[in-house]
């Protein structure tokens, strides 16, 4: 069989996608991540609102990238501040600026910035973000990056189903640890998290436009966790940890 066998009505709507990017990677081919095109893709895939971070902030210039994403704020966009872990002193100043500017979350890009989990900057920046009341959204392998992020409210955006057991055992001791659903596409991954930790630890994330947003929606549509739990995963849990009324 070719093509998508499911019609759009089969898929759960997403009220808040936790992992969306604008901008581009200068060193690779692919989408340019223009905000208008990203918004169009999200709308076409049933995503009402997105937590959006800037690749410009991650890769080129923190302040201007974050200012650009702040300008996108509106009913469909919740801006997320990017931080540069290669510059921990600059990052701590940016945390203050973002918190004062009304941001609710920051995004860490350790892989793109060539930062290892045991670099002092990771623990330092995460601590400063937590002290400022900001949620941490982070890339990177959860098996390495869990340790410096202990004690913070974190969404691990790159949790792979191969590593799900490691996430579960560390998250049992860390009530602030959450995971994106993006790479949890095995037959029992979502059910494993729900059964061992509770469905409140799962947040829908697509990484639009660099990954296909329909895949995690398809997996949710076929999960056995129930409609109210699906609604929590596709937006309710994100709104709760971000302190959003709706």
């Amino acid at each position: 069989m070719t093509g998508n066998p499911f019609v759009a009505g089969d898929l759960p709507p997403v009220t808040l996608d936790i992992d969306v990017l604008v901008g581009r990677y200068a060193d690779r081919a692919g989408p340019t991540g223009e905000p208008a095109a990203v918004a169009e893709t999200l709308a076409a895939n049933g995503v009402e609102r997105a937590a959006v971070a800037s690749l410009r902030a991650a890769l080129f210039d923190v302040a201007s990238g974050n200012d650009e994403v702040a300008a996108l704020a509106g009913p469909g966009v919740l801006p997320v501040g990017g931080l540069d872990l290669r510059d921990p002193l600059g990052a701590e100043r940016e945390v203050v600026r973002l918190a004062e500017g009304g941001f609710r979350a920051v995004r860490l890009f350790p892989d793109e910035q060539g930062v290892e989990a045991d670099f002092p900057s990771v623990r330092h920046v995460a601590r400063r973000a937590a002290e400022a009341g900001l949620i941490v959204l982070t890339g990177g392998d959860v098996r390495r990056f869990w340790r410096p992020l202990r004690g913070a409210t974190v969404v691990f955006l790159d949790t792979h189903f191969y590593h799900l057991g490691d996430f579960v055992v560390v998250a049992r001791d860390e009530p602030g640890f959450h995971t994106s659903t993006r790479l949890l596409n095995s037959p029992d991954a979502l059910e494993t998290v729900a059964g061992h930790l509770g469905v409140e630890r799962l947040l829908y994330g697509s990484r639009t436009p660099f990954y296909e947003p329909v895949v995690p929606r398809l997996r949710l549509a076929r999960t056995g966790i129930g409609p109210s739990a699906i609604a929590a995963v596709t937006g309710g849990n994100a709104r709760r940890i971000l302190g959003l009324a709706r």
Side-chain angles (χ1 to χ4, degrees):
M1 179 183 297
T2 60
N4 182 353
F6 302 109
V7 297
D10 287 327
L11 305 183
V14 176
T15 54
L16 182 52
D17 184 335
I18 201 66
D19 185 12
V20 172
L21 298 173
V22 292
R24 65 186 299 268
Y25 292 97
D27 61 347
R28 67 187 74 172
T32 60
E34 291 296 328
V38 171
E40 183 177 341
T41 299
L42 292 171
N45 283 276
V47 178
E48 297 175 12
R49 193 178 190 188
V52 179
S54 166
L55 283 171
R56 178 175 181 79
L59 302 174
F60 304 108
D61 183 79
V62 173
S64 65
N66 288 335
D67 289 345
E68 287 177 1
V69 81
L72 301 175
V77 173
L78 178 74
V80 173
L83 298 175
D84 192 341
L85 294 170
R86 299 165 296 189
D87 176 16
L89 300 181
E92 68 180 5
R93 292 191 295 269
E94 186 68 2
V95 163
V96 172
R97 191 176 79 96
L98 293 171
E100 291 176 346
F103 280 71
R104 294 174 182 265
V106 291
R107 173 71 148 83
L108 306 184
F109 294 84
D111 290 345
E112 290 86 346
Q113 294 170 0
V115 172
E116 298 294 336
D118 60 353
F119 286 15
S121 63
V122 181
R123 179 63 179 158
H124 175 75
V125 171
R127 185 183 291 118
R128 290 291 180 266
E131 291 169 351
L134 299 171
I135 305 304
V136 176
L137 313 178
T138 187
D141 188 332
V142 67
R143 297 170 301 172
R144 296 187 294 117
F145 281 91
W146 71 274
R147 186 174 286 107
L149 300 179
R150 285 179 294 181
T153 300
V154 182
V155 183
F156 290 94
L157 302 173
D158 293 342
T159 308
H160 196 284
F161 65 85
Y162 286 165
H163 309 152
L164 189 55
D166 291 291
F167 173 77
V168 167
V169 296
V170 299
R172 283 173 174 166
D173 296 325
E174 292 291 337
F177 281 9
H178 303 72
T179 180
S180 165
T181 62
R182 181 173 64 89
L183 298 176
L184 301 184
N185 296 318
S186 67
D188 62 350
L190 302 180
E191 293 81 357
T192 296
V193 176
H196 286 275
L197 299 171
V199 72
E200 64 271 14
R201 304 293 194 97
L202 291 164
L203 284 72
Y204 174 91
S206 68
R207 197 157 305 169
T208 299
F210 300 98
Y211 286 81
E212 175 50 66
V214 77
V215 174
R217 287 179 72 210
L218 286 169
R219 179 65 186 87
L220 276 166
R222 272 42 190 183
T223 187
I225 62 176
S228 63
I230 291 173
V233 175
T234 55
N237 292 337
R239 289 192 299 275
R240 171 179 51 80
I241 68 172
L242 291 165
L244 298 171
R246 67 171 306 279

